[in-house]
Amino acid sequence: MTRTFARHAATAMLTTFAIVALSPSGHAAADPTGPPTGRVTASYATAACDPNGTTSGDAALATQLNGVLTATMKGYMTAYRVSCARMIVKAARDRGLAPRAAVIAVTTTIVESTIQNISETVDHDSLGLFQQRASWGSAAERLNPIWATNAFLDKMIREYPNNAWKTAPIGEVCQAVQVSAYPDRYQPQAGDAQKIVDALWKPRSSQSADFNADGVGDIFSAATGTLTVWNGKGSNNFASAVEIGPGWGSYSKPIAGDFNDDGISDLAAVKDGSTLTIWNGKGDNNFSSGVEVGPGWALYDSTLTSLGDVNGDGHTDIAAVREGTGTLYLWNGKGDNNFASAVEVGPGWAAFSKPVGGDFNGDGIGDLAAVKDGSMLTVWNGKGDNNFGSAVEVGPGWALYDSTLMSLGDVNGDGHTDIAAVREGTGTLYLWNGKGDNNFGSATELGPGWAPYF
């Protein structure tokens, strides 16, 4: 549809519904018409949703979503639209609301703007993702996805006090906020909105390494002083080594996670036994310059690990065992490379190898795994709110693997977290594909020659 045709269609609809505009509700998008057939492909002037632009992770997720969505957005998700949905999810998550709040907001934007930050006034003076009228705020505010989402959520909470929005039908909640001339258009989009939020709420990189943002876990090492990456290709296969760069000799063993919430794996390590430093991934195995988070990590650097999300706020958390005490601590991620103060999980970790993080039971909450007394692989399943269940003994026979145990994320495409290790004395790398419920398949040999890296 051309922009001229879209403008004429919008003008016709506005004439039809002029009577609605005579009695606008406060902070309602008076006369929001919703997209007519074909508007999903219409050309409108748009503003960026993320000030930093789209990422390769956004593009990868768009491809993934296009294969599972079934309503209006099926086949139409783009890196830009994912970046817009990502900002909506961020706004809901940062204020501590449940994922359903983001689902309600994304459902609304599918109908109002097909998840685009529309910067021209196609429908009266409406602007932005939610097509909010001038009564909501200034143009700059309405074109700021974080501000616009919070304004939407503020009204949602006013309309549905005592968390009633958590149980009311999604389409009904959308309509209560928007006061649309087409109230029935929201509910059919709720299923797709749920899929979009599900994909974005849990950090896409979680505790795994995915430095080229293709959705497949990678292997990485800096033990030689040069950061080296082997990109996963799926089906337990990996590409040849890519040397990213030297200068890692003064850092602890790096860990991977999405510490700035942009959907691309970052790296973190402790410099000179003191300062925690983060390098944000940019996709295509590229990284930004190091960002110093803060000092005081001397007693944690040798056991630093990435957990995924263990408190349910959608941010990647990290943990370490304090040297000399055997006590495990964790630091909840807050996004933007920030972490909350240390939380003591508990003592008794001296008998275990360096723990690694992953989702080993498939419930979406970060778990821990370590080898006890050089033999027994053990898993502690996260229960949310920084709590873990009792130790689950997976099985013995890990004496030759405990010092190099690593969590890879999903490298065979079945949705489960896989683990790997280099067999002591041989330099041969093996991996065990996760099967869910804390179970793993038989060892798969990836090949020799890994001793210099692990």
Side-chain angles (χ1 to χ4, degrees):
M1 182 185 293
T2 65
R3 182 177 299 181
T4 300
F5 180 82
R7 287 182 181 278
H8 289 171
T11 301
M13 286 184 290
L14 291 173
T15 300
T16 303
F17 305 119
I19 189 170
V20 179
L22 296 177
S23 55
S25 174
H27 268 202
D31 191 24
T33 56
T37 302
R39 181 173 161 184
V40 70
T41 58
S43 177
Y44 299 111
T46 59
C49 283
D50 184 341
N52 296 315
T54 62
T55 70
S56 54
D58 293 332
L61 189 56
T63 299
Q64 174 188 326
L65 287 169
N66 280 329
V68 298
L69 300 184
T70 59
T72 296
M73 300 312 302
K74 178 178 174 60
Y76 290 106
M77 290 302 291
T78 61
Y80 171 70
R81 284 184 163 112
V82 170
S83 74
C84 293
R86 173 160 56 81
M87 300 307 285
I88 294 170
V89 168
K90 175 177 171 56
R93 195 168 60 190
D94 284 353
R95 63 190 288 170
L97 295 176
R100 185 179 176 85
V103 175
I104 294 167
V106 171
T107 298
T108 301
T109 64
I110 291 174
V111 172
E112 299 296 346
S113 65
T114 62
I115 326 182
Q116 298 179 96
N117 197 15
I118 297 175
S119 59
E120 61 174 308
T121 53
V122 178
D123 177 4
H124 280 69
D125 54 8
S126 301
L127 288 173
L129 287 163
F130 298 90
Q131 287 293 279
Q132 291 158 331
R133 297 292 304 272
S135 60
W136 285 73
S138 69
E141 288 171 331
R142 289 176 287 153
L143 289 173
N144 180 331
I146 298 296
W147 186 96
T149 302
N150 276 305
F152 174 90
L153 296 174
D154 286 343
K155 186 179 180 187
M156 178 191 77
I157 292 169
R158 289 196 302 272
E159 295 289 330
Y160 289 86
N162 301 316
N163 289 325
W165 55 269
K166 289 185 176 181
T167 54
I170 286 176
E172 173 190 303
V173 180
C174 298
Q175 171 62 12
V177 178
Q178 295 295 101
V179 194
S180 170
Y182 291 98
D184 295 334
R185 286 185 171 178
Y186 297 111
Q187 191 61 44
Q189 308 300 332
D192 276 1
Q194 183 71 62
K195 293 174 184 177
I196 293 169
V197 172
D198 285 345
L200 287 165
W201 194 270
K202 181 182 177 183
R204 279 173 271 166
S205 300
S206 188
Q207 75 295 324
S208 67
D210 180 15
F211 302 124
N212 59 349
D214 64 354
V216 183
D218 305 327
I219 298 172
F220 66 102
S221 170
T224 64
T226 296
L227 178 63
T228 306
V229 171
W230 296 261
N231 294 124
K233 299 169 63 180
S235 302
N236 295 334
N237 294 311
F238 292 85
S240 300
V242 176
E243 290 191 352
I244 307 301
W248 290 80
S250 59
Y251 293 91
S252 64
K253 182 178 180 180
I255 60 173
D258 184 10
F259 304 122
N260 64 345
D261 291 343
D262 68 349
I264 304 176
S265 291
D266 310 318
L267 285 171
V270 178
K271 181 179 182 180
D272 298 326
S274 177
T275 303
L276 181 64
T277 307
I278 290 177
W279 297 260
N280 293 126
K282 301 167 64 178
D284 298 322
N285 297 326
N286 295 313
F287 297 87
S288 66
S289 300
V291 176
E292 293 190 350
V293 176
W297 294 81
L299 298 178
Y300 305 100
D301 60 344
S302 64
T303 57
L304 194 64
T305 192
S306 183
L307 297 181
D309 179 20
V310 297
N311 66 339
D313 67 352
H315 300 299
T316 301
D317 308 317
I318 60 176
V321 177
R322 183 181 173 92
E323 184 180 329
T325 68
T327 299
L328 180 70
Y329 292 85
L330 67 84
W331 295 262
N332 292 126
K334 300 169 64 179
D336 297 323
N337 300 326
N338 295 314
F339 295 89
S341 300
V343 175
E344 182 177 327
V345 177
W349 292 80
F352 293 90
S353 63
K354 176 184 180 293
V356 297
D359 182 11
F360 304 120
N361 64 346
D363 66 353
I365 304 174
D367 308 320
L368 281 169
V371 178
K372 182 179 181 181
D373 299 327
S375 177
M376 182 65 68
L377 180 63
T378 308
V379 171
W380 297 261
N381 294 126
K383 299 169 64 178
D385 296 323
N386 297 331
N387 294 314
F388 293 86
S390 301
V392 177
E393 293 188 345
V394 177
W398 293 80
L400 298 178
Y401 305 99
D402 62 342
S403 64
T404 58
L405 189 67
M406 67 187 89
S407 179
L408 297 183
D410 179 18
V411 298
N412 66 340
D414 65 355
H416 299 299
T417 300
D418 308 317
I419 58 176
V422 176
R423 182 182 174 93
E424 184 180 328
T426 69
T428 299
L429 180 66
Y430 292 85
L431 73 81
W432 294 263
N433 292 124
K435 300 168 66 177
D437 297 323
N438 301 324
N439 294 314
F440 296 88
S442 301
T444 299
E445 182 178 327
L446 294 185
W450 294 83
Y453 300 100
F454 295 99

